[in-house]
């Protein structure tokens, strides 16, 4: 195959050799028993392609999920597998080259949303999405990630959030509080519930912050936002920057501990859930000492225990399942129960729940502007499935999905808004 | 008869030695890697036993695709089942094979009528050939396939074809055919641990690990 | 051949031998019986029907053929097979008819007189006599393990074969070395085919061979004056062209997968296939299943025992008479245990290396990796 890597970005002024060394070193350190088994057991059936939006919408075989991690595979074969010493000795599996890493940058970042659909089809049960995520670690260390994501990474390293430096946080919240006329708790010394945010909620979706406050206030919860621990959408998790992922994770946990919070509520953000709910323990070194819940789970709990009452909307709606929350996170029923409480007539898409198609923007793809064209193409799939339901409302529970769906619709002049479940709940809260 | 003696003797013997050593080499080489566990709290209600259950669920669940994937996976799945079941029947339910296993391990069980096994052998061979055609014509599989995939296919089909030739006495004298059959099995045994045929063992871990991971999260397996 | 008066006469007289039809007339055998014999032999040998008449005519005209029978390392089973048929038949007459000029077991004379007879026959029938050999020839240590009249078997063979028209190796020992050749072959026994390279050679293996196979082959040679078509082991194709299994009456059970599992189980009583009891019929080329033994009475499989494959080389070294053909040879237990230990060690070792890699070892590899990566990118460019 001739590798043309016209799109590859690179960061820093590492020498070429050093990039390879960093990539290999990091790749190799990711291989434990589970990943190793995955690397060993692919039967090349090609089915994963059938599950992947990028292949299905383009028909281009290079988007076959398992093929997206070839350099990672090569690193495994050459350095970690049972026959690695033999492969190295006879150079049967060559060392990964910079050219290859650059070629695969697009496949690892632009054309994978870590949605995990491929994982579900693979007859060998290979968790390909997880492998792509792991492959990103090495790419990051090699300074070989899309520049847009790198930019967010640098911002987050400097500010603690891609949205705003911690110093300005309280001020922004104050503005939101005034705009929507809702009291919002910030930086309380002690609180039962630590509420966290995703960057979009300090930008496009400020109403979400107000909605959240409205609901929490309505149940007289002991809650707060914190300037030094509000950022939940873990950009390190997406980019493959493990150091940043750890830093952001630990900041949340430490803040929760400092204020004595028992519950940490994550915003409507899928990747936040993946990072804080499932991976935080890796950095903390054990089960985290606070109960981490997604906004959707939190709302479901309030609805099902009768702590809040909702007006009925009485409209047809379909739900877009955020991959990290549903397929990768296991929160499938909660959003549907909330929709039922809202009196929405839920019409499921042909593929829904754990089998729903990704919005096309997960895994940082929506922020990675150079992938726009591909993302728009992929959007067709979602649009078609939604239109087939004939439902009026398109509802979701992840801010990133919402942005992706909104941008996708705008791009093709499709007049379809995407609602946030949180917003619907807040709008229909019986007070 | 000398070729047959070689096949029944040194060829099979060394092949089995390589097979056993290779399989253990590969499996232990993987299982002895560090186990990276992320000790997050499981979804409410999922106990550690539940994760073990998830392990088995993962193994079982992937025997057949989820409804959402059925259409795309139909051919691969059905054809795959045909030649896997076929191979199983031919390898383990054919009386001469059982005699071989009994001689080796002391274990034996009932066999199927040889004519039936013969027919299954033909179907299996056809199904394997269909699998190759699919691999060659499907751009995805073409792109991701390597020597390993084609060679593994070859060493699997070879014993089936040579076995069929042997029982039907086609092409050469019986003892030559039988010797070639046994040599093709030796080749299969030798290649087995080093190529993708190891999926026959590894699927337990790869499916199981994902099953357990998903169960831990309360997600779809 | 139960009497060998004719043979003895021939040793002493040198007159023109009588024809076969003369002899048959003298013995009162009808022409019809003779024609029937010719037709049967022709059909056994799968000759075209027209050849039966040719064979009969040729046979009738055939003159007595001088035959020298050499017995080396053998058990006399082959001779027994030939001479112990249940009732005198035309086959016996064929053997009576040939001029058995030398045969240890059958000839009356012994010692120097016997050797003398052999040399006379050789001189008188130079280039025309047939040498039949049973038994293998030991060649180790100068061939001292089997000697006759002060000569090693090898010496006798060489001397006798020199002026022969053709050589027939009768029985598995002569054809393939036989039991004396079995591992570890202490006497260095070799088959006749190893020693006779420049004469037409027919192998009639079997332990022992079927009498009709011997007489049939001889009849062919007598009537056509040439040797029949042979397979790659120099066996007449007409008798060794098919396996026992090809013609076995238990074959339908084989095809249906009905196997006796022991010699006295239900299956055995029902006459099921003996494959799992070690029958070597599928690889044994011989006529037992069609011609049968003792004048067509039965053959081993019919009596309930698997074929041993006695017409095949090394049949005694094939892992055991009761080991099914589909099993491997030899005991795998310790080899597999060793393989398991070695495999586990390799696996453990590679995992240990890999773990080391994840740690400080990776650093040492850096330079090496650079080289390789450099080479590869150069290659691609
Ligand atoms: C492991 C993979 C193997 C495959 C795929 C395979 C396949 C086959 C097939 C398709 C046949 C024809 C069966 C029929 O139609 O009746 C056959 C026959 C046979 N196989 Fe295998 N076989 C395998 C292993 C073995 C082993 C381990 C042995 C023993 C050494 C063996 C010995 C035989 C024999 C002896 C026959 C012919 C039996 C007869 O009819 O005389 N096979 N094999
Ligand atoms: S995780 Fe999703 S986007 Fe990525 S390869 Fe798999 S199916 Fe495709
Ligand atoms: S579906 Fe699984 S086994 Fe099949 S090619 Fe993809 S990763 Fe490999
Ligand atoms: S008894 Fe022997 S020769 Fe007869 S069918 Fe069975 S295996 Fe073949
Ligand atoms: S059945 Fe087999 S072992 Fe018995 S005499 Fe015939 S060839 Fe020899």
């Amino acid at each position: 195959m001739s590798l043309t890597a016209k799109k590859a970005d690179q960061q820093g002024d590492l020498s070429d050799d050093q990039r390879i060394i960093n990539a290999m070193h990091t790749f190799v350190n990711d291989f434990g028993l589970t990943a190793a088994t995955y690397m060993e057991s692919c039967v090349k059936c090609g089915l994963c392609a059938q599950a992947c939006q990028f292949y299905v919408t383009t028909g281009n075989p290079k988007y076959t999920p398992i093929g997206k991690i070839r350099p990672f595979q090569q690193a495994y074969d050459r350095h970690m597998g049972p026959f690695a010493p033999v492969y190295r000795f006879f150079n049967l599996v060559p060392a990964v080259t910079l050219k290859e890493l650059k070629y695969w940058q697009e496949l690892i970042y632009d054309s994978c949303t870590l949605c995990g659909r491929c994982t579900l089809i693979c007859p060998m049960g290979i968790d390909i999405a997880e492998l792509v995520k792991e492959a990103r670690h090495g790419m990051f260390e090699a300074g070989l990630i899309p520049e847009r994501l790198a930019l967010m990474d640098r911002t987050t390293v400097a500010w603690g959030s891609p949205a705003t430096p911690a110093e300005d946080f309280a001020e922004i919240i104050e503005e939101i509080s005034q705009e929507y006329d809702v009291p919002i708790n910030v930086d309380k010394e002690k609180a039962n519930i630590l509420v966290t945010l995703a960057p979009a909620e300090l930008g496009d979706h400020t109403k979400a912050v107000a909605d959240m406050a409205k609901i929490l206030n309505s149940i007289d919860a002991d809650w707060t936002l914190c300037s030094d621990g509000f950022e939940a959408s873990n950009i390190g998790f997406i980019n493959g920057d493990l150091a940043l992922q750890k830093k952001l994770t630990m900041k949340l946990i430490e803040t929760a501990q400092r204020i004595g919070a028992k519950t940490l509520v994550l915003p409507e953000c899928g990747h936040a859930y993946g990072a804080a709910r499932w991976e935080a323990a890796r950095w903390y070194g054990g089960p985290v000492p606070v109960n981490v819940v997604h906004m959707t789970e939190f709302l479901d709990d309030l609805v099902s225990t009768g702590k809040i009452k909702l007006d009925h909307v009485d409209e047809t709606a379909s739900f877009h399942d955020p991959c990290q929350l549903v397929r990768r996170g296991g929160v499938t029923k909660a959003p549907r129960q909330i929709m039922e409480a809202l009196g929405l007539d839920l019409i499921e898409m042909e593929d829904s729940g754990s089998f729903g198609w990704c919005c096309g923007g997960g895994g940082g793809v929506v922020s990675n502007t150079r992938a726009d064209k591909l993302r728009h193409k992929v959007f067709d799939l979602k649009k078609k499935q939604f239109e087939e339901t004939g439902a009026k409302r398109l509802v979701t529970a992840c801010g990133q999905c919402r942005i992706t769906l909104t941008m996708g619709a705008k791009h093709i002049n499709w007049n379809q808004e995407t609602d946030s479940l949180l917003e619907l709940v807040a709008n229909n809260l019986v007070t | 008869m000398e070729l047959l003696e070689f096949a029944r003797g040194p060829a099979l013997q060394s092949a089995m030695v390589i097979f056993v050593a290779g399989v253990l080499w590969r499996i232990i080489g993987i299982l002895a890697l560090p186990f990276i566990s992320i000790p997050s709290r499981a979804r409410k209600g999922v106990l550690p036993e539940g994760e073990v259950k998830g392990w088995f669920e993962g193994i079982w669940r992937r025997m057949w695709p989820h409804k959402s994937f059925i259409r795309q996976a139909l051919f691969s799945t059905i054809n795959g089942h045909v030649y896997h079941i076929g191979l199983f029947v031919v390898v383990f339910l054919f009386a001469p094979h059982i005699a071989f296993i009994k001689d080796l391990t002391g274990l034996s069980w009932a066999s199927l009528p040889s004519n039936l096994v013969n027919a299954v052998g033909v179907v299996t061979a056809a199904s394997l050939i269909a699998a190759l055609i699919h691999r060659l014509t499907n751009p995805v599989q073409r792109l991701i396939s390597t020597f390993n995939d084609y060679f593994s296919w070859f060493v699997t089909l070879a014993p089936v074809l040579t076995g069929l030739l042997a029982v039907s006495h086609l092409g050469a004298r019986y003892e030559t055919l039988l010797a070639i059959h046994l040599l093709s099995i030796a080749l299969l045994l030798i290649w087995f641990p080093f190529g993708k045929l190891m999926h026959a063992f590894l699927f337990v871990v790869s499916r199981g690990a994902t099953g357990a991971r998903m169960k831990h999260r309360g997600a779809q397996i | 051949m139960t009497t060998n008066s004719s043979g003895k006469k021939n040793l002493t007289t040198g007159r023109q031998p009588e024809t076969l039809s003369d002899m048959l007339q003298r013995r009162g055998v009808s022409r019809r019986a003779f024609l029937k014999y010719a037709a049967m032999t022709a059909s056994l040998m799968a000759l075209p029907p027209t050849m039966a008449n040719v064979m009969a005519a040729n046979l009738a005209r055939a003159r007595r053929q001088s035959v020298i029978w050499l017995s080396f390392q053998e058990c006399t089973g082959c001779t027994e097979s030939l001479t112990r048929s249940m009732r005198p038949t035309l086959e016996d007459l064929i053997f009576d008819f040939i001029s058995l000029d030398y045969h240890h077991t059958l000839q009356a004379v012994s010692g120097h007189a016997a050797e003398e007879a052999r040399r006379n026959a050789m001189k008188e029938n130079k280039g025309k006599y047939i040498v039949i050999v049973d038994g293998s020839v030991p060649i180790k240590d100068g061939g001292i393990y089997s000697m006759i009249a002060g000569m090693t078997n090898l010496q006798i063979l060489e001397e006798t074969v020199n002026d022969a028209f053709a050589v027939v190796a009768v029985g598995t020992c002569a054809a393939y070395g036989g039991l004396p050749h079995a591992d570890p072959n202490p006497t260095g026994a070799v088959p006749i085919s190893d020693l006779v390279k420049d004469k037409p050679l027919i192998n009639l293996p079997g332990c022992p061979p079927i009498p009709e196979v011997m007489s049939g082959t001889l009849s062919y040679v007598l009537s056509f004056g040439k040797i029949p078509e042979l397979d790659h082991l120099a066996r007449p194709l007409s008798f060794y062209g098919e396996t026992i299994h090809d013609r076995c009456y238990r074959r339908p059970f084989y095809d249906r997968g009905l196997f006796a599992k022991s010699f006295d189980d239900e299956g055995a009583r029902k006459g099921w296939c003996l494959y799992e009891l070690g029958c070597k019929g599928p690889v044994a080329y011989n006529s037992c299943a069609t011609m049968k033994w003792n004048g067509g009475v039965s053959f081993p499989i019919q009596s309930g025992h698997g074929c041993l494959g006695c017409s095949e080389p090394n049949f005694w070294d094939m892992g055991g008479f009761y080991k099914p053909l589909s099993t491997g040879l030899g005991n795998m237990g310790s080899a597999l245990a060793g393989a398991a230990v070695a495999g586990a060690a390799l696996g453990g070792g590679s995992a240990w290396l890999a773990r080391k890699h994840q740690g400080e070892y990776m650093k040492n590899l850096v330079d090496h990796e650079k080289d390789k990566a450099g080479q590869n990118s150069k290659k691609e460019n």
Side-chain angles (χ1 to χ4, degrees):
Chain A
M1 193 201 311
S2 69
L3 306 180
T4 44
K6 47 183 182 316
K7 273 190 182 167
D9 295 336
Q10 64 183 50
Q11 293 80 38
D13 47 11
L14 297 175
S15 71
D16 289 0
D17 287 344
Q18 197 57 46
R19 287 186 201 277
I20 294 174
I21 290 160
N22 287 3
M24 296 306 276
H25 190 103
T26 316
F27 283 163
V28 159
N29 276 301
D30 264 321
F31 292 116
L33 151 61
T34 308
T37 321
Y38 292 153
M39 306 312 297
E40 295 277 358
S41 45
C42 173
V43 291
K44 310 289 174 66
C45 69
L47 283 182
C48 45
Q50 304 295 340
C52 179
Q53 51 197 337
F54 294 100
Y55 171 74
V56 170
T57 52
T58 62
N60 188 340
K62 77 172 178 175
Y63 295 129
T64 303
I66 197 68
K68 292 177 187 172
I69 51 161
R70 190 126 106 213
F72 195 49
Q73 173 85 54
Q74 212 169 316
Y76 171 81
D77 288 340
R78 191 173 163 84
H79 294 293
M80 292 301 287
F83 307 131
V86 182
Y87 289 159
R88 275 201 304 278
F89 188 78
F90 296 105
N91 203 26
L92 292 177
V93 177
V96 178
T97 63
L98 187 62
K99 204 166 169 183
E100 286 165 330
L101 289 177
K102 285 185 172 173
Y103 175 82
W104 260 272
Q105 183 185 102
E106 186 221 348
L107 297 174
I108 291 174
Y109 284 96
D110 299 27
S111 59
C112 178
T113 60
L114 308 179
C115 79
R117 225 172 164 263
C118 46
T119 301
L120 274 187
I121 200 175
C122 175
M124 293 306 292
I126 298 171
D127 193 350
I128 310 161
E130 190 66 21
L131 296 177
V132 176
K133 186 151 64 62
E134 285 172 4
R136 288 184 177 188
H137 301 156
M139 297 298 282
F140 179 84
E141 291 304 327
L144 288 172
I145 77 170
E147 187 49 32
R148 250 333 186 44
L149 297 181
L151 182 70
M152 286 168 66
D153 207 273
R154 288 193 290 269
T155 317
T156 311
V157 169
W159 289 352
S161 160
T164 171
E167 304 90 83
D168 301 342
F169 180 72
E171 207 174 305
I172 298 173
I173 294 298
E174 181 55 31
E175 283 167 21
I176 298 173
S177 167
Q178 282 171 9
E179 184 184 347
Y180 295 97
D181 193 22
V182 184
I184 302 179
N185 303 340
V186 189
D187 293 330
K188 276 169 55 177
E189 282 288 299
K190 291 282 169 203
N192 231 339
I193 301 172
L194 173 65
V195 177
T196 57
L197 301 179
E201 292 168 337
L202 298 174
D204 291 356
H205 301 156
T206 47
K207 180 165 182 293
V209 186
D211 287 343
M212 203 163 55
K214 183 175 157 193
I215 295 166
L216 284 160
N217 293 341
S218 82
I219 58 166
D220 293 324
D222 174 18
W223 71 282
T224 187
L225 288 164
C226 285
S227 297
D228 49 1
F230 67 88
E231 177 55 58
S233 86
N234 197 317
I235 185 79
F237 171 90
I238 291 167
N239 285 357
D241 181 352
L242 287 176
L244 180 61
Q245 182 181 347
K246 177 176 183 180
K247 196 171 132 198
L248 292 170
T249 302
M250 290 311 289
K251 214 157 157 189
L252 290 188
I253 296 173
E254 279 156 13
T255 308
Q257 278 183 308
R258 198 193 66 231
I259 66 167
K262 291 205 187 58
T263 304
L264 193 159
V265 178
L266 298 171
E268 278 197 318
C269 171
H271 294 90
Y273 195 63
R277 177 66 179 89
W278 303 120
E279 291 196 3
R282 177 170 184 190
W283 313 117
Y284 184 73
V288 295
V290 52
N291 186 24
V292 179
V293 294
H294 189 267
M295 180 56 72
T296 308
E297 294 173 286
F298 185 72
L299 295 177
D300 178 44
D301 183 57
L302 297 184
V303 169
S304 60
T305 54
K307 290 197 186 108
I308 58 174
K309 292 267 177 298
L310 302 175
D311 283 330
H312 274 203
V313 181
D314 289 327
E315 271 171 352
T316 54
S318 196
F319 186 67
H320 163 74
D321 292 276
C323 308
Q324 299 302 321
L325 182 66
V326 178
R327 182 165 32 245
R328 307 290 292 168
V331 182
T332 316
K333 277 196 218 131
R336 289 168 169 78
Q337 284 167 6
I338 299 170
M339 288 174 77
E340 199 188 332
L342 280 164
L344 287 167
D345 178 10
L346 175 65
I347 308 174
E348 295 282 13
M349 295 184 218
E350 184 188 342
D351 300 300
S352 66
S354 298
F355 304 99
W357 290 96
C358 177
C359 62
V365 173
V366 66
S367 319
N368 179 9
T369 44
R370 71 178 197 197
D372 281 354
K373 231 173 99 190
L374 192 57
R375 183 162 51 79
H376 292 318
K377 194 154 192 161
V378 160
F379 183 71
D380 281 352
L381 210 55
K382 198 82 224 180
K383 174 173 179 269
K384 190 167 150 279
Q385 291 220 326
F386 174 69
E387 284 187 329
E388 277 167 8
T389 65
K392 180 159 186 285
R393 286 178 182 268
L394 174 55
V395 182
T396 191
C398 167
Q400 294 290 307
C401 295
R402 196 171 160 208
I403 292 176
T404 308
L405 296 172
T406 308
M407 287 184 7
K410 198 169 141 212
H411 180 75
I412 51 171
N413 298 319
W414 179 40
N415 193 14
Q416 175 67 47
E417 276 182 31
T418 305
D419 294 317
S420 135
L421 200 50
L422 166 65
E423 223 174 285
L424 281 173
V425 169
N427 292 350
N428 297 287
L429 195 65
V430 179
T431 39
Chain B
M1 202 131 89
E2 274 152 30
L3 188 64
L4 181 57
E5 277 171 77
F6 170 73
R8 288 180 69 196
L12 262 186
Q13 243 157 323
S14 38
M16 278 192 288
V17 164
I18 292 174
F19 175 80
V20 169
V23 165
L24 282 168
W25 177 359
R26 181 117 173 236
I27 288 191
I28 293 177
I30 296 167
L31 295 190
L33 289 177
F35 179 58
I36 302 177
S37 91
I38 301 185
S40 61
R41 228 181 290 278
R43 162 112 13 242
K44 211 167 140 215
V46 178
L47 305 168
E49 304 90 89
E51 287 177 34
V52 176
K53 229 184 98 209
W55 183 281
F56 288 104
E57 238 179 280
I59 294 171
W60 177 244
R61 193 61 200 70
R62 294 304 164 90
M63 294 288 178
W64 194 257
H66 289 289
K67 215 176 91 226
S68 274
F69 305 129
I70 260 287
R71 199 169 39 79
Q72 297 90 330
L74 201 61
F75 170 79
S76 301
T77 308
I78 291 183
N79 194 49
H81 278 71
V82 168
Y83 64 75
H84 276 96
I85 295 171
L87 285 173
F88 176 83
V89 167
V90 168
V91 176
F92 292 109
L93 299 180
F94 184 48
H97 296 168
I98 299 173
F100 174 82
I101 295 166
K102 184 176 176 194
D103 182 61
L104 200 64
T105 64
L107 304 173
S108 73
W109 48 86
S111 63
L112 284 180
S114 305
N115 287 335
L116 179 62
V117 178
N118 226 326
V120 173
V122 172
V123 172
T124 306
S127 166
L128 279 168
I129 290 167
L132 179 72
I133 293 172
H134 193 256
R135 186 172 292 282
L136 288 171
T137 53
N138 167 341
V140 167
Q141 281 190 288
R142 265 270 286 286
L143 180 72
I144 59 178
S145 298
T146 59
F147 168 79
N148 181 355
D149 303 290
Y150 297 108
F151 193 64
S152 299
W153 174 87
F154 171 74
V155 301
T156 308
L157 180 65
V160 180
L161 284 187
T162 56
L164 287 171
L165 290 181
V167 280
S168 52
H169 296 218
L170 276 177
R173 294 161 74 93
Y174 178 82
E175 67 272 24
T176 312
L177 293 172
L178 182 55
I180 292 172
H181 177 55
L182 296 181
L183 289 175
S184 71
I185 289 155
L187 183 67
L188 172 72
L189 290 173
I190 290 170
W191 176 248
F192 195 102
F194 305 102
K196 81 161 177 190
L197 294 176
M198 271 298 280
H199 74 272
F201 293 107
L202 293 170
F203 81 101
V204 176
V205 199
S206 68
R207 283 185 187 179
T210 300
R213 173 181 289 169
M214 292 312 187
K215 185 61 138 196
H216 176 83
R217 300 180 179 187
Q220 176 73 51
I221 292 174
Chain C
M1 223 165 27
T2 34
T3 94
N4 70 339
S5 52
S6 54
K8 226 167 71 188
K9 243 183 274 158
N10 197 260
L11 294 180
T12 49
T13 63
R15 65 185 160 79
Q16 178 74 328
E18 60 181 343
T19 62
L20 182 59
S21 73
D22 295 344
M23 191 193 87
L24 292 174
Q25 258 168 25
R26 192 158 49 76
R27 296 278 188 100
V29 175
S30 75
R31 183 164 164 74
R32 240 188 75 200
F34 174 67
L35 284 176
K36 222 173 108 191
Y37 170 77
M40 196 192 79
T41 307
S43 88
L44 276 180
M45 299 191 69
L47 299 174
T50 50
M51 290 303 277
N53 294 333
V54 180
M55 187 166 198
N58 287 354
L59 264 183
R61 255 183 279 127
R63 305 245 163 219
R64 302 194 69 168
Q65 166 73 46
S66 170
V67 171
I68 297 176
W69 185 303
L70 302 175
S71 295
F72 297 139
Q73 283 196 129
E74 46 85 48
C75 68
T76 315
C78 297
T79 304
E80 291 286 329
S81 164
L82 276 169
T83 57
R84 292 294 165 92
S85 43
M86 300 301 283
R87 58 199 152 85
T89 61
L90 264 163
E91 286 85 48
D92 301 317
L93 287 176
I94 296 292
F95 280 102
D96 277 359
F97 175 63
I98 60 175
S99 165
L100 208 42
D101 294 326
Y102 178 87
H103 189 301
H104 286 170
T105 318
L106 303 179
Q107 71 198 9
V109 294
S110 59
H112 292 296
E115 294 310 308
E116 186 69 24
R118 177 170 63 85
R119 297 215 168 87
N120 279 341
M122 284 165 57
K123 220 184 290 159
E124 278 172 28
N125 301 295
K126 191 167 174 177
K128 284 184 277 182
Y129 62 91
I130 293 176
V131 179
I132 297 183
V133 188
D134 68 337
S136 60
V137 179
I139 56 171
K140 201 163 139 191
D141 302 329
I144 54 159
Y145 297 106
S146 176
M147 299 183 63
I148 298 162
M151 289 173 79
T152 64
N153 290 171
L154 182 60
Q155 286 165 336
I156 295 179
L157 180 72
E158 279 171 350
E159 184 182 300
T160 313
V161 159
N162 237 344
D163 290 324
F165 154 63
V167 181
V168 182
V170 156
T172 294
C173 299
Y176 312 126
L179 288 169
H181 180 271
D183 193 40
N185 191 1
T187 64
V190 297
I192 305 309
S193 55
D194 278 13
L195 304 171
V196 175
K197 300 286 184 196
D198 53 357
K199 295 280 171 193
L201 171 78
I202 303 175
N203 277 335
L204 298 179
C207 192
I210 304 173
E212 286 84 347
V213 167
M214 298 172 74
S215 62
T217 306
L218 283 178
S219 300
Y220 186 95
V221 176
L222 288 185
S223 49
F224 298 112
K226 60 174 186 184
I227 57 173
E229 205 186 330
L230 306 176
D231 72 1
H232 69 295
L233 293 173
R235 302 178 291 199
L237 269 174
S238 37
F239 296 115
Y240 297 90
E242 285 179 307
T243 61
I244 305 298
H245 181 74
D246 285 333
R247 307 302 296 266
C248 177
Y249 75 103
R250 296 191 188 221
R251 179 65 179 270
F253 294 112
Y254 169 89
D255 288 336
R256 277 152 61 199
L258 296 174
F259 299 100
K261 310 274 179 195
S262 78
F263 284 109
D264 56 359
D265 71 353
E266 170 93 7
R269 277 190 291 278
K270 286 187 173 158
W272 288 357
C273 169
L274 302 168
Y275 188 96
E276 292 197 16
L277 292 171
C279 181
K280 304 296 182 293
V283 295
Y285 290 81
N286 206 346
S287 301
C288 310
T290 44
M291 299 174 56
K292 305 201 179 169
W293 285 82
N294 301 329
V297 171
S298 180
F299 77 114
I301 289 172
Q302 197 171 345
S303 70
H305 194 285
C307 165
L308 307 180
C310 74
S311 58
E312 296 299 321
N314 301 349
F315 77 94
W316 52 88
D317 276 340
M318 295 298 280
F321 293 153
Y322 303 102
K323 264 190 119 181
L325 256 183
S326 63
T327 59
L329 300 175
N331 189 351
M332 290 299 296
S334 52
L336 290 186
V341 172
L346 282 166
S350 69
W352 176 77
L353 259 182
R355 280 163 175 263
K356 248 182 106 179
H357 244 77
Q358 286 188 325
E360 98 287 350
Y361 184 60
M362 192 66 198
K363 290 196 180 64
N364 301 332
L365 207 95
V366 161
D367 290 331
H368 174 71
E369 201 62 37
K370 256 197 286 191
D371 294 347
K372 286 278 149 59
Q375 279 167 21
N376 286 325
S377 49
K378 258 176 237 136
K379 247 184 271 161
E380 267 168 35
N381 290 340

